[in-house]
Structures are given as structure tokens and as C-alpha cells.
Amino acid sequence: MIRMTLAEVATAVSGTLEPFGADAPTTVVEGAVDTDSRMIAPGDIFVAKPGETTDGHLFVPGVAEAGASLAIVEHRVDAAITQIVVPDVIAALADLAREVVARVRAGGNLTVVGITGSNGKTTTKNLLERILQDEGETVAPRASFNNEVGAPLTMLRVTPETRYLVCEFGAAGPGQIARLAGLVTPDIGVVLMVGLAHAGGFGGVEATLKAKTELVEAIRPGGIAVLNADDARVVTMAAVAESRGVSVRWFGRGSAAEMRAEDVEVTASGTTCTIVVGEKRMPLRLRVLGEHHVMNALAALTAAREIGVPLADAIARLETVEIAERWRMQPLGSDRVRIINDAYNASPDSMAAALRTLAQIVEPGQRKVAVLGAMSELGEYAGEEHDRVGLLAVRLRIERIVVVGPDARRLFISAIGEGSWDGEAVFFATADEAYDYLLGELRDGDRVLVKSSNSAGLRHLGDRLGESFS
């Protein structure tokens, strides 16, 4: 965090300062801010967040011993450390992030980019971070730090030297993106797509559209909305942007896009395409696996172009990225048996994209094997969407469909009903059972997709398979 006095921090979070030892209101703090006591180093600031299984207040004495300079708490803790007492530590975390970003921005050198969408946020964030880090100090979320805790923690990492802050905004319900994006009022907002991911929490796809539009509504007047020209729901956000004095830039694969991709080809080693901007045509060779990542690359390139990065430089930097993120279309195993671990999250759109990628990368003589778990947070849409995935897997001629977990059983039944009944589709209640089956079933030339939502836990199954066939 930037240098601030204890009094300034207390004012920012509307808290009561209780100094300890030699500390006074004028004492300066500038350590990292975290809610995880294990990450606290000397001089850091600990936010004692209550959790579902434990309470951060229990760890205040431990962080004091570790040398933390300050604890933000909801009640005074008997520990040898200065504390600021607030009514709600999560609200305080947001307030502190707002203040820190505002102070850095006042220096006139910070550009803030916000990214949202039902799928692709983390990949797009990573791609844009790779482009911008060669331009100047860039702060972006670790992993998928995109919620009410992770987003402010990312914002608090900015320094006076930071030129670019890339924020990823996720949400499980209405109003969350508005609150998070409102902390920083982005200069550029990127909306990737509107789909059924988390539809159960939002109450349907139209409510999801409204929630994703919250990012466009948070862009500062005079800013830029980077929108997916191929998504009809995202297209409707242009009117919202323009009504607020926000310019619109389009990316996509159709002719309406200002930054578009043509001649897309997918192989086991990556994806190639031609980037077209006006009369300019440039090749892009993404090492990241999957045709759907072309759209993420287009979004990152469009945002970077608006920032002022030359297209050739941006493309060259994208071509150095090997994987989008751990557990996202991550190649494991070996050329003999290739495992594609994409089990960090799943929605109907991302599940379909991953299955199509599997179908595209096999060569003659190789088998397609899909190890599939449940898609979470779909609410009333869960049954029919698992049905659709089962049907798609069969129609893509996936030779082995391995369904794991009771919540995914309907996917298995759907595949059986579509004709995958002669041993092509199998069901296992646990990942361990599936692992034992796959050890005996997989053979040279197999290409194996492991795909599920995070809650299904198949990412660890993918890792085990990767190690076994490395």
C-alpha cells in the first residue's frame, strides 16, 4: 500500500484508531494489505475478516508476532498491535482501496481497466497484463481475485509508480460489479460476453445482462467501453455507454468489429489467426490452447490499442504467453497422452468451447476423451444445460465420455440417451474411481479434456493424470 499515516487510514475507513506502543496518529504505514494471516510479513496490514469456518480476529495475535504494523478489526483484540476498529471490515477494505487508488490517480499517471463477462475474465486479464507490463508498472489480480475481497486487495497493491491497474470484476448477484467498479471508476471497461455462468445467483440471463452492464455504467465520462460485437446482449450496452459520454470500441470475429480475427485455425500447439484492424492485417500465433481464447486476445488487443500500445508490439507480447492460467486449458501429460486440465470453472459456454477444442485438436488415429464434472451456480437451468453438454459431447463424436460426481449424473444420462450407451459413456461417483478407470483405459494417442466447475474438484484429478502420463 502507498504511504499513509494511521490517522489517514482511520479516516479513510471511518474507524476508531487505537494505537499501541510508540505508534501515534502520525505514524506512517505502507506495508502490503491482506486478509490471509499466513501472508503477513513485518510492516504489513492485516484485515481481520470473519469467515464461514473461522474468524480473522483469532489470528490478530499471530500477525502481531509476525511484525504486522496494523490490524483492521470489528472489535478490539487483546494483542500487541495497533488496531483500527470499524463496523464492517469488508466495507473498510473497499473504502481503503477507493482512497488509495484516488490518491495514486491524482498523480495523473494511472490508467484503470476493468474487465467483466460470464467467461474469459481471468484469461483476458492475464493477456492484457502481459501486454502492459512492458509499458510500465502494471498491477493485476493474482489468480481470480475478482470479488468483494480480492478486487480491493488488488487495488491496494498500486504504488505512485503504477501506470496501469487491471481489475477483474466477478459477481454472484446484482449490484456487486457496481460496488467494485465504483471504487475505481475505470477509464476503460471491457465486457466479454453475457452467458449463463452464475445464472442461478442472478436469476436468469437477462438479470446477468443487467449486472454486467454495471461495469459500463461505472466507466468515467469520457472513458471507453470495449464491447463484444458478436454478442447481441453485449451490443445493447453501447446505448448505455453513449448516454454517459463513454466511447465504444468493438472486437469480435464478425464484420461489425473494429478489431477482428479471421482465418482462425486450432491445433494441439495453439491457435493461429489474422488480426484485422482497418486495412492492417497481422498474424497472431497464440500458444494458449482453444479457439475461444481468440476473443479474449481480441479484447486485450483492443484495450491495449486504446491505451496507445502499437498493435505489432501487443501481438508479439501475446505470443509469449504459454497458458492462460493454471487449470485453464492447461496442457499436461506428454505427447503420448495429452491431458488438458480446464477444471477451474465451467459454464455452458465454456464447456461447449472446451469440447469443441478437444474435437479440433485430434489427429487421425487419436481418441477424444472427455472427463466431465458438474457446472455449478446454474439454478433452475442446471438440468437442461447438463443435458445440452451430454448431447454435444456425443455429437462431437467423443470416443470416451467419463462423467464424475452425482451433480453431473444428468449429463451422463443425456449422453446415454443420445446413443453413447455401448461403453462410450461411463459414470463414477468420485474422482478417485474415475482416476483408477482412466489409468487402465487411456492409451497412446489419447487427447483428454478434464472440465468442471471448481466445486467439483476435478482440477486435482487433471493434475494426477498429468503426472501419471508425463
Side-chain angles (χ1 to χ4, degrees):
M1 190 184 76
I2 62 173
R3 291 172 58 87
M4 293 177 67
T5 67
L6 289 172
E8 289 173 328
V9 175
T11 298
V13 301
S14 301
T16 301
L17 174 63
E18 299 192 6
F20 176 82
D23 284 346
T26 54
T27 299
V28 172
V29 291
E30 56 180 332
V33 182
D34 216 309
T35 59
D36 187 340
S37 62
R38 297 167 297 183
M39 303 299 292
I40 296 297
D44 287 350
I45 299 167
F46 178 60
V47 179
K49 180 178 74 72
E52 295 180 2
T53 58
T54 189
D55 185 344
H57 292 78
L58 299 174
F59 301 96
V60 173
V63 301
E65 292 181 6
S69 62
L70 172 66
I72 299 177
V73 298
E74 292 181 359
H75 58 81
R76 186 74 169 83
V77 178
D78 185 12
I81 185 173
T82 294
Q83 299 172 45
I84 295 176
V85 183
V86 298
D88 183 331
V89 296
I90 300 303
L93 184 65
D95 289 339
L96 185 57
R98 179 190 292 109
E99 178 67 16
V100 165
V101 172
R103 289 184 177 216
V104 174
R105 201 177 220 161
N109 198 38
L110 180 67
T111 298
V112 180
V113 182
I115 301 172
T116 195
S118 297
N119 299 112
K121 295 183 294 296
T122 300
T123 298
T124 304
K125 173 263 296 184
N126 288 341
L127 296 177
L128 183 57
E129 179 186 16
R130 175 62 193 92
I131 294 172
L132 295 179
Q133 65 186 15
D134 287 356
E135 297 293 312
E137 182 178 303
T138 302
V139 171
R142 298 188 294 266
S144 293
F145 272 34
N146 61 21
N147 63 10
E148 61 183 1
V149 175
L153 288 178
T154 298
M155 298 168 190
L156 286 165
R157 289 168 44 213
V158 299
T159 72
E161 289 71 42
T162 302
R163 289 188 61 192
Y164 307 106
L165 169 61
V166 181
C167 297
E168 178 182 338
F169 297 126
Q176 293 185 17
I177 293 174
R179 286 192 293 274
L180 294 175
L183 300 178
V184 292
T185 55
D187 301 285
I188 299 173
V190 180
V191 184
L192 300 168
M193 64 175 298
V194 175
L196 281 173
H198 311 294
F202 287 108
V205 70
E206 293 308 316
T208 303
L209 167 61
K210 184 177 180 180
K212 301 303 181 186
T213 305
E214 291 170 7
L215 174 57
V216 176
E217 294 169 339
I219 300 170
R220 65 165 179 80
I224 297 168
V226 174
L227 303 180
N228 181 351
D230 298 346
D231 187 312
R233 293 187 178 92
V234 175
V235 169
T236 66
M237 298 180 190
V240 176
E242 291 164 354
S243 70
R244 302 187 66 260
V246 172
S247 301
V248 176
R249 302 291 183 268
W250 300 102
F251 69 92
R253 295 179 61 177
S255 59
E258 298 163 285
M259 175 83 67
R260 69 179 189 274
E262 297 181 351
D263 307 322
V264 178
E265 294 186 9
V266 181
T267 69
S269 59
T271 306
T272 63
C273 65
T274 301
I275 301 297
V276 181
V277 182
E279 299 299 317
K280 185 179 295 184
R281 302 174 64 88
M282 301 189 67
L284 170 63
R285 298 173 181 83
L286 274 179
R287 297 159 78 178
V288 179
L289 186 62
E291 181 176 358
H292 50 296
H293 288 312
V294 169
M295 291 296 285
N296 301 329
L298 287 170
L301 288 170
T302 305
R305 182 171 182 246
E306 294 306 313
I307 288 171
V309 182
L311 182 60
D313 291 346
I315 287 175
R317 294 166 194 171
L318 286 187
E319 292 183 336
T320 68
V321 179
E322 296 185 5
I323 63 170
E325 182 86 23
R326 188 181 180 192
W327 299 318
R328 287 177 169 87
M329 298 302 286
Q330 181 182 7
L332 300 170
S334 63
D335 289 340
R336 184 171 68 87
V337 176
R338 176 62 66 196
I339 310 297
I340 303 167
N341 195 352
D342 192 31
Y344 188 82
N345 55 28
S347 67
D349 294 310
S350 68
M351 188 74 85
L355 285 169
R356 291 192 179 99
T357 297
L358 176 64
Q360 290 171 319
I361 66 173
V362 294
E363 299 177 358
Q366 297 177 339
R367 287 195 310 176
K368 303 179 289 293
V369 180
V371 183
L372 306 176
M375 300 177 288
S376 62
E377 300 182 60
L378 292 178
E380 64 182 290
Y381 302 96
E384 63 186 82
E385 292 304 327
H386 282 88
D387 286 346
R388 292 178 190 275
V389 171
L391 295 175
L392 178 62
V394 175
R395 292 170 183 174
L396 289 173
R397 301 180 184 273
I398 307 296
E399 284 84 357
R400 289 291 182 271
I401 303 170
V402 182
V403 183
V404 185
D407 291 341
R409 188 173 182 85
R410 185 158 169 174
L411 192 161
F412 166 70
I413 294 171
S414 177
I416 293 291
E418 185 68 7
S420 186
W421 49 266
D422 192 19
E424 295 94 344
V426 294
F427 173 81
F428 297 98
T430 69
D432 286 341
E433 293 174 313
Y435 175 75
D436 292 339
Y437 165 80
L438 289 163
L439 281 185
E441 172 65 23
L442 297 180
R443 65 193 192 205
D444 287 1
D446 284 351
R447 298 295 178 255
V448 185
L449 170 70
V450 183
K451 179 71 174 171
S452 74
S453 284
N454 197 0
S455 59
L458 296 197
R459 63 193 187 281
H460 303 303
L461 172 60
D463 287 342
R464 292 177 69 190
L465 292 171
E467 292 175 5
S468 297
F469 292 96
S470 61

